[in-house]
C-alpha cells in the first residue's frame, strides 16, 4: 500500500494555479483532519476541493491510516462532490443520516479578512451552506486569487450568488435591485442563451446580484434572506475556522 507522498516532494503540475490549489488542499487536510477522531467528513464543490478528496483518498491507501479512513463517511454538497467521493474510493453518506459533521472542506470565490466568504460560483451554495453550517470545523481551501485585500466584492466581480425558487426569480431580482440596492441582479444562464437558466441540484435558479464592495456582509446576508423566494445566499458568515490559500510559488498562507 502506498505511503502518503509529502507535499514538499510532489512533482509540479503543468499549471502553477493547479499547483497552488493542490498545495492548499493537501496542507489543509494534513493539518486539520484527525483520522482517529473525525468520522463524518463534508466534501465541498469546485476545482480546489478535488485535491481534498484526492488527498483523503491517499490516506485511505496508506496502511497506517486505512483502518480509520475506510470508516469515514463523506457527505457531499452536490453532484460533483458525490462523484469525487466515489472516485477516490471513499464512503458516501447523506446529511439526513449524519446531520452533525466533524469537519468539512470547501472552496470559496472570495474570502475577506474576517473569514467571511462569497460562495456559489459553481451554483451549489444551498447544499454547501447546509454542510458547512452542520460542521464542527469548516476549513476553506483556495488559491491566492480568492483572498480579498479589502471587502467582499473586491476581487469577485460576478456578484453574490443567490439561490431562488424558480417562480420567484423575477420578484427576487426586482427586490434585490429596488429594495436592497443591487446595481444589477441577473438570473444565471446556461451555456447559451437558448439553454435558459441554470438549475441547481435542488431544482432552483441562481441570481447573481452585484452589490459592489460589501461593507457589512452580515447585514446584507440577513436582508437577502428575508426576501420571499430566496432559498439561500452565497454569503457564508461566521462559519469558516481557517482558510488555506495556495500561492503560485508553492507556499501556502493560512488565515
Ligand atoms: C461552488 C463553490 C466553489 O467552492 C467555489 O466556486 C470555488 O471554486 P474553485 O475551487 O473552483 O475556485 O462555491 O458553488
Amino acid at each position: 500500500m502506498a505511503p502518503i507522498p509529502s507535499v514538499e516532494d510532489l512533482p509540479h503540475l503543468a499549471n502553477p494555479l493547479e499547483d497552488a490549489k493542490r498545495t492548499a488542499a493537501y496542507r489543509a487536510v494534513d493539518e486539520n483532519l484527525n483520522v482517529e477522531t473525525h468520522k463524518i467528513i463534508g466534501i465541498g464543490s469546485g476545482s480546489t476541493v478535488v485535491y481534498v478528496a484526492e488527498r483523503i483518498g491517499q490516506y485511505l491507501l496508506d496502511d497506517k491510516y486505512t483502518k480509520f479512513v475506510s470508516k469515514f463517511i463523506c457527505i457531499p454538497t452536490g453532484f460533483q462532490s458525490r462523484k469525487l467521493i466515489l472516485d477516490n474510493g471513499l464512503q458516501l453518506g447523506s446529511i439526513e443520516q449524519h446531520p452533525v459533521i466533524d469537519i468539512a472542506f470547501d472552496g470559496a470565490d472570495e474570502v475577506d479578512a474576517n473569514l467571511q466568504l462569497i460562495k456559489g460560483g459553481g451554483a451549489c451554495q444551498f447544499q454547501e451552506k447546509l454542510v458547512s453550517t452542520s460542521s464542527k470545523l469548516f476549513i476553506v481551501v483556495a488559491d491566492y486569487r480568492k483572498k480579498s485585500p479589502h471587502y467582499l466584492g473586491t476581487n469577485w466581480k460576478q456578484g453574490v450568488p443567490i439561490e431562488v425558487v424558480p417562480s420567484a426569480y423575477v420578484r427576487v431580482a426586482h427586490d434585490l435591485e429596488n429594495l436592497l440596492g443591487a446595481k444589477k441582479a441577473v438570473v444565471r444562464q446556461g451555456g447559451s442563451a437558448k439553454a435558459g437558466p441554470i438549475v441547481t441540484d435542488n431544482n432552483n435558479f441562481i441570481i447573481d446580484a452585484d452589490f459592489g464592495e460589501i461593507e457589512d456582509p452580515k447585514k446584507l446576508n440577513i436582508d437577502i434572506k428575508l426576501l420571499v423566494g430566496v432559498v439561500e445566499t452565497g454569503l457564508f458568515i461566521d462559519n469558516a475556522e481557517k482558510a488555506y490559500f495556495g500561492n503560485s510559488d508553492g507556499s501556502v498562507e493560512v488565515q
Side-chain angles (χ1 to χ4, degrees), residues 21 44-49 106-109 118-125 128 141-143 145-146 156:
K21 292 178 188 189
S45 324
S47 56
T48 316
V49 98
D106 204 346
D109 298 306
I118 293 181
K119 285 186 52 55
C124 305
Q125 81 266 33
E128 290 177 336
V141 291
D143 62 75
R145 301 170 306 166
K146 309 302 181 70
W156 179 254

Side-chain angles (χ1 to χ4, degrees), residues 58-78:
Q58 292 171 359
Y59 276 82
L60 179 66
L61 296 179
D62 184 324
D63 275 344
K64 230 162 89 195
Y65 302 106
T66 305
K67 71 170 187 227
F68 301 108
V69 180
S70 59
K71 296 202 185 94
F72 280 1
I73 295 178
C74 296
I75 312 296
T77 55

Side-chain angles (χ1 to χ4, degrees), residues 120-137:
C124 305
Q125 81 266 33
F126 170 72
Q127 296 199 61
E128 290 177 336
K129 201 173 265 191
L130 184 61
V131 166
S132 67
T133 56
S134 305
S135 298
K136 294 184 203 159
L137 190 58

